[in-house]
């Protein structure tokens, strides 16, 4: 998935021209309002940096924590789209399968599976909810964070 601009359109057209017409490939166009917005993504990464600074961790580490503890529960509440529904089914199957495993092993496996979810699966509405939950988390931990009005 990517946002169309002159460069990506050029790359897409080149790839389509070079692709054999054997019926095994397809192209899908999605309305921009169906995907998260660039502004939302910029705010998300700005807040990942703010949380990382507060906690003394790297942005990628905070991103992985956020996927596991904030994004995964959001998607599990109301999965939409093929990726979210497939992943939600995988999590449900995993939770049934780990019953009886040593607790530390079960938690590690569940943690790794929850981190497989992706912010790219979110539509605008879900990404807004994700940002709202991140902001609530920062407020509940008295974190200082920037807001678009501040920059």
């Amino acid at each position: 998935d990517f946002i169309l601009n002159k460069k990506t359109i050029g790359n897409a057209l080149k790839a389509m021209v070079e692709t054999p017409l054997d019926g095994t490939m397809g192209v899908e166009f999605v309305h921009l309002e169906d995907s998260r917005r660039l502004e939302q993504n910029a705010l998300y990464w700005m807040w990942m940096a703010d949380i990382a600074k507060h906690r003394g961790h790297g942005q990628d580490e905070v991103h992985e924590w956020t996927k596991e503890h904030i994004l995964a529960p959001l998607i599990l509440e109301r999965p939409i789209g093929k990726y979210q529904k497939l992943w939600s089914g995988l999590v449900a199957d995993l939770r049934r399968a780990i019953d009886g495993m040593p607790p530390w092993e079960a938690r590690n496996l569940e943690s790794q599976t929850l981190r497989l979810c992706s912010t790219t699966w979110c539509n605008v509405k879900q990404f807004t909810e994700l940002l709202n939950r991140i902001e609530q988390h920062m407020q509940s931990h008295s974190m200082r964070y920037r807001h678009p009005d501040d920059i």
Side-chain angles (χ1 to χ4, degrees):
D1 294 341
F2 52 87
I3 305 296
L4 291 178
N5 59 38
K6 286 184 181 183
K7 182 178 179 183
T8 57
I9 289 173
N11 291 340
L13 289 173
K14 182 179 179 211
M16 289 186 335
V17 168
E18 295 172 355
T19 301
L21 299 175
D22 60 3
T24 61
M25 301 292 287
V27 176
E28 180 178 332
F29 291 92
V30 179
H31 290 283
L32 184 59
E33 63 266 17
D34 294 339
S35 303
R36 62 192 179 149
R37 297 257 191 256
L38 291 175
E39 294 85 5
Q40 288 178 307
N41 195 51
L43 179 59
Y44 175 85
W45 284 105
M46 182 172 68
W47 283 354
M48 293 298 99
D50 292 343
I51 295 169
K53 183 178 179 182
H54 177 82
R55 290 188 177 164
H57 298 297
Q59 265 186 275
D60 288 337
E61 187 178 352
V62 172
H63 172 62
E64 291 300 316
W65 183 93
T66 301
K67 288 192 323 181
E68 180 181 351
H69 296 279
I70 300 176
L71 178 61
L74 171 67
I75 292 175
L76 289 169
E77 285 172 20
R78 291 180 304 279
I80 61 168
K82 62 183 177 185
Y83 296 117
Q84 290 185 15
K85 289 177 181 173
L86 177 66
W87 178 82
S88 295
L90 174 68
V91 171
D93 289 345
L94 171 76
R95 287 181 170 163
R96 283 189 294 274
I98 62 177
D99 189 35
M101 289 176 80
W104 64 270
E105 191 174 341
R107 179 65 191 128
N108 185 47
L109 187 57
E110 181 180 38
S111 174
Q112 294 304 314
T113 304
L114 292 177
R115 289 179 183 198
L116 292 174
C117 68
S118 174
T119 59
T120 62
W121 298 348
C122 294
N123 61 21
V124 171
K125 185 177 178 181
Q126 280 183 313
F127 210 87
T128 299
E129 178 63 24
L130 173 64
L131 291 170
N132 289 339
R133 290 182 185 195
I134 292 169
E135 186 170 30
Q136 289 169 355
H137 172 78
M138 291 186 295
Q139 289 171 348
S140 71
H141 289 85
S142 302
M143 291 184 198
R144 293 187 57 163
Y145 62 96
R146 295 169 289 168
H147 217 272
D149 300 337
D150 301 335
I151 56 174

